[in-house]
Amino acid sequence: MRFTLDSSHQDFASSIDALLSKADMPAVIRSWNTGDTGPGLKVWQRLAETGVNGLLIADEHDGLGADAVDLVVAVEQLGRHAVPGPVAETVAVAPALLAQVTPDRLAALASGSLATVAAAPHVPFAVDADSADLVLLVDGATVRLGKAGAVQTSVDQSRRLFPLSAGDALGDADFAPAFDLGALATAAQLQGLGQTLLDVTTDYAKQRKQFGKVIGQFQAIKHHLAEVAVGLEMSRPLLHGAALSVRDGSVDSSRDVSAAKVACGDAAYRAARVALQVHGAIGYTQEHDLSLWLTKVRALVSAWGTPAFHRGRVVDSLVEAS
C-alpha cells in the first residue's frame, strides 16, 4: 500500500506553509507565552480563511467537509511552524463533538473561533481555556460547557493548562472517535515538529565549525542526523495510514491511530534530543528559537494519550486479533 499524497494535498500543504512562513512565528509564540495572544489569533484567523478550522466541518455549516487525510496534511504544517494554541482541540476534536451535540456552533468554529477540550483521564486539562471562544468538558458520555480553574504550568510555555468544572450540558456524544482524532492530530503536529528540528539542525551542522571543520563533516553528527531522518520517514507512513483508517471507518482505526501517535512521538523526541546535542550550549537557552520547538515536542508526546497508553492499545488490539 502506498501513502503518497496527491497534488491537491501537496498544494494545500504548500499554501499553509507559505502563509505561516510569512509570519514571524518565534515572535508570535513568545508573545503567546506572555499572555499576549493578539499576534497568534491573527495567524489563526488567516488559517481559518484557508479552511483549516473547518476541515472536518460539513459544507452546510460553512466548513470544507474534508477528511482525516486532509486533517493530517494541514496539522503537520501547523506542527512544522509550532503554531501556538489548542490545535488538535480546535481543528479535530471540537468539530467531532459539536456535530453530535450542537451543530449550530460549527459555523463559528469554521470562521476562526478557537475551542479547547478536557476529558479525563487522558486529557485532564484544557489547553488555553483563557483564550478559547468555546471551552468543552467531556463528562462521561455528556458534553458540557467548561469553567476554567487556576492555570497550571507546562514545560511548553505556549500551552496554558486549566482544570475545568462542569457547566451547562450540551448533550450526549460518543467521545471515542473524537479522542482518536485528537490523538491523530497530535501525531501530525509531532511529525511536523520533528521535521523542522531535523531541518534546522542539519542547516546548523553545515555552518558551525569546530577544530577547523564544519561539524556536519564529522561521522558521528552524520549518523545522528541520519537516524532522525530515518525515524521521521518511518513514522510518516504510519501517520498517513492511520488517517486513511479513520477516513474509511476501519475497525482497526483506534489501533492505527495509537501506532501513529507512538511512532511520531518517538521520532520527534529523537529529533529534539539530537537537535539539542548538535546545537550544544545554545540549545539549552530559552533565548534560542530552538527551545520553542523542543518544549512543544516534550509536551505533545504525552498529550491526547501517553506513549504507554497508546502502546497498550496497540498490544491489546494485536492480542485480540491473535
Side-chain angles (χ1 to χ4, degrees):
M1 185 177 292
R2 298 182 62 191
F3 301 126
T4 304
L5 298 176
D6 62 29
S7 59
S8 65
H9 290 128
Q10 293 169 352
D11 291 344
F12 187 37
S14 295
S15 67
I16 296 172
D17 180 46
L19 184 157
L20 294 173
S21 294
K22 294 177 183 177
D24 183 355
M25 287 308 300
V28 169
I29 297 166
R30 287 193 166 91
S31 293
W32 193 282
N33 291 354
T34 63
D36 178 11
T37 58
L41 293 177
K42 289 180 181 178
V43 169
W44 272 102
Q45 189 57 52
R46 290 194 288 270
L47 288 169
E49 291 167 3
T50 71
V52 168
N53 290 44
L55 278 173
L56 300 187
I57 296 175
D59 294 347
E60 66 252 35
H61 299 297
D62 300 331
L64 295 185
D67 57 38
V69 177
D70 302 285
L71 171 73
V72 162
V73 169
V75 176
E76 183 175 347
Q77 294 302 316
L78 270 58
R80 286 193 64 185
H81 294 272
V83 171
V87 172
E89 294 79 2
T90 294
V91 181
V93 181
L97 292 175
L98 294 179
Q100 298 182 65
V101 298
T102 175
D104 57 298
R105 294 177 182 261
L106 287 170
L109 200 61
S111 67
S113 295
L114 295 186
T116 190
V117 179
H122 301 298
V123 191
F125 300 109
V127 176
D128 298 312
D130 56 341
S131 304
D133 303 289
L134 180 64
V135 179
L136 299 176
L137 172 66
V138 179
D139 180 15
T142 303
V143 179
R144 299 179 178 274
L145 294 176
K147 300 176 182 178
V151 64
Q152 307 291 310
T153 59
S154 169
V155 66
D156 175 9
Q157 294 182 39
S158 72
R159 288 172 61 83
R160 292 165 58 81
L161 306 176
F162 293 84
L164 300 182
S165 57
D168 294 341
L170 299 178
D172 290 344
D174 180 3
F175 181 58
F179 176 81
D180 283 348
L181 285 170
L184 181 66
T186 304
Q189 277 184 278
L190 285 162
Q191 183 73 22
L193 287 160
Q195 187 62 54
T196 291
L197 285 167
L198 174 61
D199 293 343
V200 168
T201 306
T202 300
D203 289 343
Y204 181 77
K206 294 176 181 178
Q207 300 168 15
R208 177 77 167 92
K209 287 187 176 181
Q210 198 168 27
F211 307 116
K213 289 184 175 182
V214 293
I215 63 175
Q217 293 180 337
F218 295 120
Q219 200 71 10
I221 299 293
K222 291 180 181 179
H223 283 170
H224 282 309
L225 292 174
E227 287 175 356
V228 172
V230 169
L232 290 168
E233 285 304 307
M234 294 297 288
S235 60
R236 182 170 282 110
L238 289 173
L239 176 63
H240 292 168
L244 288 173
S245 187
V246 170
R247 183 196 69 181
D248 297 340
S250 169
V251 294
D252 296 322
S253 60
S254 292
R255 179 203 65 189
D256 295 342
V257 166
S258 285
K261 177 63 162 55
V262 170
C264 292
D266 286 351
Y269 191 69
R270 182 184 298 108
R273 290 191 60 176
V274 170
L276 190 59
Q277 291 171 339
V278 172
H279 278 79
I282 64 170
Y284 286 88
T285 65
Q286 288 187 349
E287 289 75 16
H288 197 282
D289 292 347
L290 185 71
S291 67
L292 305 176
W293 274 255
L294 294 177
T295 54
K296 188 168 291 293
V297 167
R298 186 65 189 87
L300 291 182
V301 162
S302 297
W304 287 93
T306 64
F309 167 76
H310 285 292
R311 285 190 172 93
R313 281 216 303 184
V314 172
V315 171
D316 290 344
S317 176
L318 294 175
V319 169
E320 290 173 4
S322 63

